[in-house]
mmCIF file of all heavy atoms in Angstrom:
data_model
loop_
_atom_site.group_PDB
_atom_site.id
_atom_site.type_symbol
_atom_site.label_atom_id
_atom_site.label_comp_id
_atom_site.label_asym_id
_atom_site.label_seq_id
_atom_site.Cartn_x
_atom_site.Cartn_y
_atom_site.Cartn_z
ATOM 1 N N SER A 103 30.666 -21.389 22.666
ATOM 2 C CA SER A 103 31.777 -21.520 23.739
ATOM 3 C C SER A 103 31.339 -21.967 25.080
ATOM 4 O O SER A 103 32.081 -22.545 25.807
ATOM 5 C CB SER A 103 32.534 -20.224 23.777
ATOM 6 O OG SER A 103 31.828 -19.220 24.491
ATOM 7 N N PHE A 104 30.002 -21.672 25.310
ATOM 8 C CA PHE A 104 29.428 -22.156 26.545
ATOM 9 C C PHE A 104 29.181 -23.644 26.521
ATOM 10 O O PHE A 104 28.659 -24.184 27.384
ATOM 11 C CB PHE A 104 28.032 -21.483 26.821
ATOM 12 C CG PHE A 104 28.174 -19.942 27.025
ATOM 13 C CD1 PHE A 104 27.066 -19.172 26.702
ATOM 14 C CD2 PHE A 104 29.368 -19.335 27.703
ATOM 15 C CE1 PHE A 104 27.043 -17.840 26.836
ATOM 16 C CE2 PHE A 104 29.292 -17.881 27.794
ATOM 17 C CZ PHE A 104 28.190 -17.128 27.399
ATOM 18 N N GLY A 105 29.242 -24.232 25.343
ATOM 19 C CA GLY A 105 28.914 -25.598 25.214
ATOM 20 C C GLY A 105 27.574 -25.970 24.675
ATOM 21 O O GLY A 105 27.072 -27.146 24.583
ATOM 22 N N ALA A 106 26.740 -24.893 24.334
ATOM 23 C CA ALA A 106 25.448 -25.149 23.850
ATOM 24 C C ALA A 106 25.453 -25.510 22.371
ATOM 25 O O ALA A 106 26.369 -25.204 21.586
ATOM 26 C CB ALA A 106 24.581 -23.879 24.070
ATOM 27 N N VAL A 107 24.402 -26.218 21.821
ATOM 28 C CA VAL A 107 24.189 -26.481 20.472
ATOM 29 C C VAL A 107 23.484 -25.273 19.927
ATOM 30 O O VAL A 107 22.416 -24.832 20.528
ATOM 31 C CB VAL A 107 23.418 -27.761 20.297
ATOM 32 C CG1 VAL A 107 22.992 -27.858 18.846
ATOM 33 C CG2 VAL A 107 24.175 -28.924 20.688
ATOM 34 N N THR A 108 23.946 -24.715 18.866
ATOM 35 C CA THR A 108 23.308 -23.493 18.364
ATOM 36 C C THR A 108 22.621 -23.763 17.015
ATOM 37 O O THR A 108 23.142 -24.406 16.077
ATOM 38 C CB THR A 108 24.417 -22.279 18.134
ATOM 39 O OG1 THR A 108 25.424 -22.891 17.254
ATOM 40 C CG2 THR A 108 25.047 -21.886 19.371
ATOM 41 N N ILE A 109 21.341 -23.289 16.969
ATOM 42 C CA ILE A 109 20.473 -23.623 15.809
ATOM 43 C C ILE A 109 19.937 -22.254 15.350
ATOM 44 O O ILE A 109 19.354 -21.449 16.156
ATOM 45 C CB ILE A 109 19.398 -24.552 16.124
ATOM 46 C CG1 ILE A 109 19.858 -25.862 16.805
ATOM 47 C CG2 ILE A 109 18.557 -24.901 14.904
ATOM 48 C CD1 ILE A 109 18.931 -26.693 17.313
ATOM 49 N N ALA A 110 19.987 -21.990 14.046
ATOM 50 C CA ALA A 110 19.358 -20.752 13.496
ATOM 51 C C ALA A 110 18.546 -20.964 12.357
ATOM 52 O O ALA A 110 18.712 -21.923 11.546
ATOM 53 C CB ALA A 110 20.457 -19.687 13.088
ATOM 54 N N GLY A 111 17.419 -20.168 12.251
ATOM 55 C CA GLY A 111 16.577 -20.187 10.986
ATOM 56 C C GLY A 111 16.347 -18.782 10.644
ATOM 57 O O GLY A 111 16.624 -17.866 11.325
ATOM 58 N N GLY A 112 15.518 -18.576 9.518
ATOM 59 C CA GLY A 112 15.179 -17.274 9.107
ATOM 60 C C GLY A 112 15.788 -17.068 7.679
ATOM 61 O O GLY A 112 16.674 -17.792 7.285
ATOM 62 N N SER A 113 15.372 -15.881 6.974
ATOM 63 C CA SER A 113 15.582 -15.840 5.582
ATOM 64 C C SER A 113 17.141 -15.571 5.292
ATOM 65 O O SER A 113 17.601 -15.987 4.278
ATOM 66 C CB SER A 113 14.773 -14.698 4.925
ATOM 67 O OG SER A 113 15.291 -13.484 5.586
ATOM 68 N N HIS A 114 17.813 -14.960 6.141
ATOM 69 C CA HIS A 114 19.284 -14.646 5.894
ATOM 70 C C HIS A 114 20.140 -16.112 5.926
ATOM 71 O O HIS A 114 20.790 -16.355 4.851
ATOM 72 C CB HIS A 114 19.884 -13.710 6.755
ATOM 73 C CG HIS A 114 21.251 -13.384 6.426
ATOM 74 N ND1 HIS A 114 21.681 -12.226 5.794
ATOM 75 C CD2 HIS A 114 22.448 -14.060 6.696
ATOM 76 C CE1 HIS A 114 23.023 -12.218 5.602
ATOM 77 N NE2 HIS A 114 23.467 -13.365 6.136
ATOM 78 N N VAL A 115 19.977 -16.781 6.908
ATOM 79 C CA VAL A 115 20.732 -17.903 7.093
ATOM 80 C C VAL A 115 20.237 -19.042 6.159
ATOM 81 O O VAL A 115 21.052 -19.910 5.708
ATOM 82 C CB VAL A 115 20.729 -18.499 8.480
ATOM 83 C CG1 VAL A 115 21.495 -17.569 9.431
ATOM 84 C CG2 VAL A 115 19.377 -18.735 9.113
ATOM 85 N N ASP A 116 18.982 -18.955 5.831
ATOM 86 C CA ASP A 116 18.385 -19.812 4.792
ATOM 87 C C ASP A 116 19.198 -19.717 3.491
ATOM 88 O O ASP A 116 19.436 -20.734 2.813
ATOM 89 C CB ASP A 116 16.925 -19.462 4.645
ATOM 90 C CG ASP A 116 16.173 -20.524 3.914
ATOM 91 O OD1 ASP A 116 16.733 -21.310 3.229
ATOM 92 O OD2 ASP A 116 14.884 -20.376 3.896
ATOM 93 N N ALA A 117 19.395 -18.464 3.089
ATOM 94 C CA ALA A 117 20.020 -18.302 1.840
ATOM 95 C C ALA A 117 21.515 -18.420 1.926
ATOM 96 O O ALA A 117 22.104 -18.737 0.832
ATOM 97 C CB ALA A 117 19.761 -16.826 1.379
ATOM 98 N N LEU A 118 22.161 -18.177 3.037
ATOM 99 C CA LEU A 118 23.651 -18.339 3.159
ATOM 100 C C LEU A 118 23.972 -19.185 4.326
ATOM 101 O O LEU A 118 24.541 -18.784 5.278
ATOM 102 C CB LEU A 118 24.124 -16.891 3.392
ATOM 103 C CG LEU A 118 23.938 -15.847 2.251
ATOM 104 C CD1 LEU A 118 24.301 -14.507 2.619
ATOM 105 C CD2 LEU A 118 24.667 -16.238 0.995
ATOM 106 N N PRO A 119 23.698 -20.476 4.159
ATOM 107 C CA PRO A 119 23.896 -21.369 5.254
ATOM 108 C C PRO A 119 25.412 -21.449 5.659
ATOM 109 O O PRO A 119 25.720 -21.679 6.843
ATOM 110 C CB PRO A 119 23.199 -22.721 4.934
ATOM 111 C CG PRO A 119 23.012 -22.622 3.430
ATOM 112 C CD PRO A 119 22.928 -21.217 3.048
ATOM 113 N N GLN A 120 26.183 -21.597 4.561
ATOM 114 C CA GLN A 120 27.623 -21.891 4.839
ATOM 115 C C GLN A 120 28.327 -20.801 5.670
ATOM 116 O O GLN A 120 29.162 -21.070 6.626
ATOM 117 C CB GLN A 120 28.337 -22.095 3.519
ATOM 118 C CG GLN A 120 27.796 -23.309 2.824
ATOM 119 C CD GLN A 120 28.694 -23.911 1.846
ATOM 120 O OE1 GLN A 120 29.706 -24.129 2.156
ATOM 121 N NE2 GLN A 120 28.248 -24.199 0.609
ATOM 122 N N GLU A 121 27.938 -19.584 5.377
ATOM 123 C CA GLU A 121 28.425 -18.467 6.154
ATOM 124 C C GLU A 121 27.977 -18.673 7.590
ATOM 125 O O GLU A 121 28.840 -18.417 8.454
ATOM 126 C CB GLU A 121 27.622 -17.066 5.521
ATOM 127 C CG GLU A 121 28.122 -15.949 6.289
ATOM 128 C CD GLU A 121 27.157 -14.648 5.947
ATOM 129 O OE1 GLU A 121 26.018 -14.653 6.639
ATOM 130 O OE2 GLU A 121 27.556 -13.963 5.060
ATOM 131 N N ALA A 122 26.755 -18.988 7.918
ATOM 132 C CA ALA A 122 26.253 -19.111 9.159
ATOM 133 C C ALA A 122 27.020 -20.296 9.876
ATOM 134 O O ALA A 122 27.396 -20.109 11.072
ATOM 135 C CB ALA A 122 24.713 -19.424 9.222
ATOM 136 N N LEU A 123 27.279 -21.305 9.228
ATOM 137 C CA LEU A 123 27.904 -22.419 9.809
ATOM 138 C C LEU A 123 29.434 -22.149 10.107
ATOM 139 O O LEU A 123 30.010 -22.817 10.931
ATOM 140 C CB LEU A 123 27.861 -23.729 8.876
ATOM 141 C CG LEU A 123 26.370 -24.348 8.665
ATOM 142 C CD1 LEU A 123 26.367 -25.319 7.604
ATOM 143 C CD2 LEU A 123 25.801 -24.759 9.955
ATOM 144 N N ARG A 124 29.846 -21.221 9.506
ATOM 145 C CA ARG A 124 31.313 -20.783 9.702
ATOM 146 C C ARG A 124 31.410 -19.647 10.861
ATOM 147 O O ARG A 124 32.392 -19.268 11.128
ATOM 148 C CB ARG A 124 32.056 -20.212 8.404
ATOM 149 C CG ARG A 124 32.377 -21.098 7.356
ATOM 150 C CD ARG A 124 33.186 -20.439 6.364
ATOM 151 N NE ARG A 124 32.687 -19.280 5.799
ATOM 152 C CZ ARG A 124 32.014 -19.073 4.683
ATOM 153 N NH1 ARG A 124 31.699 -20.222 4.009
ATOM 154 N NH2 ARG A 124 31.582 -17.980 4.321
ATOM 155 N N SER A 125 30.172 -19.319 11.350
ATOM 156 C CA SER A 125 30.106 -18.103 12.125
ATOM 157 C C SER A 125 29.419 -18.424 13.531
ATOM 158 O O SER A 125 28.793 -17.476 14.071
ATOM 159 C CB SER A 125 29.389 -16.982 11.466
ATOM 160 O OG SER A 125 29.840 -16.811 10.136
ATOM 161 N N GLY A 126 29.599 -19.584 13.977
ATOM 162 C CA GLY A 126 29.001 -19.905 15.361
ATOM 163 C C GLY A 126 27.758 -20.732 15.368
ATOM 164 O O GLY A 126 27.185 -20.994 16.458
ATOM 165 N N VAL A 127 27.218 -20.972 14.146
ATOM 166 C CA VAL A 127 25.897 -21.768 14.154
ATOM 167 C C VAL A 127 26.165 -23.180 13.773
ATOM 168 O O VAL A 127 26.908 -23.577 12.940
ATOM 169 C CB VAL A 127 24.987 -21.105 13.045
ATOM 170 C CG1 VAL A 127 23.690 -21.946 12.932
ATOM 171 C CG2 VAL A 127 24.573 -19.692 13.364
#
Side-chain angles (χ1 to χ4, degrees):
S103 76
F104 298 149
V107 170
T108 55
I109 307 175
S113 69
H114 184 99
V115 293
D116 191 345
L118 300 170
Q120 301 204 45
E121 176 195 85
L123 296 173
R124 288 194 306 267
S125 312
V127 176

